[in-house]
Amino acid sequence: MLYEWANIYSYTQTDFIKRVSNILEVIKNDIERNKESYDEKSTRPWVNNLVYFLSKQVNDNNYYKGCFFGVFNASDLFGPYSRHGSAEIKSIKGVNNQQSMDCKTIINEWRNNGILPSDEQFMKLFKLWYFTTSYLVINWLRLPHFSAK
């Protein structure tokens, strides 16, 4: 997982989405397997709760999930750049020129109406994905992976 994170050097690299989604998936699976152990060993339960909360928002919250895996897995939106896809990108009807849109609205316009995000909107999405993932990784590293004994 750290290898994946360390090898994210640009939003424009072709495996950016794959790397971010792999990291998020590894953390989710790790929490599911080791939550009880982390809670037993922890001397900082607020860190555990922060990591659990962030991971739950990315993976399970319907509002935010659509901003992460809902896009990563959508081969009709990203085509070969998606996490699993090799399909062609669905028809695009234009580029979104609206200003000051939140990430969820950008994604909904893209998915439902075929309106491709502008460069600034793509940067907004990439930043959301990268900074959320990085914040989660940094705090996941603070979990008690090993016993102090």
Side-chain angles (χ1 to χ4, degrees), residues 22-100:
N22 286 346
I23 292 166
L24 295 172
E25 191 169 51
V26 165
I27 290 174
K28 177 185 180 220
N29 292 337
D30 179 66
I31 290 170
E32 288 172 359
R33 278 192 313 271
N34 299 309
K35 184 177 186 296
E36 200 172 292
S37 172
Y38 293 151
D39 290 342
E40 287 173 11
K41 296 176 191 173
S42 182
T43 58
R44 299 174 298 203
W46 61 90
V47 173
N48 296 32
N49 292 331
L50 173 64
V51 171
Y52 304 156
F53 174 77
L54 288 172
S55 181
K56 185 173 177 62
Q57 294 305 303
V58 167
N59 293 292
D60 299 327
N61 180 307
N62 283 336
Y63 184 83
Y64 295 109
K65 184 178 179 182
C67 291
F68 288 88
F69 286 104
V71 176
F72 297 158
N73 294 332
S75 61
D76 60 330
L77 298 180
F78 273 124
Y81 296 105
S82 71
R83 186 169 178 225
H84 301 294
S86 59
E88 292 181 13
I89 298 173
K90 73 177 182 178
S91 64
I92 301 298
K93 297 176 184 162
V95 175
N96 196 332
N97 293 320
Q98 296 181 35
Q99 300 295 319
S100 302

Side-chain angles (χ1 to χ4, degrees), residues 102-125:
D102 62 62
C103 290
K104 186 70 172 182
T105 305
I106 294 168
I107 291 167
N108 285 339
E109 285 291 313
W110 187 12
R111 172 173 280 121
N112 301 332
N113 302 323
I115 306 297
L116 192 67
S118 67
D119 288 345
E120 289 105 21
Q121 291 167 346
F122 266 121
M123 287 306 295
K124 188 173 191 173
L125 293 173

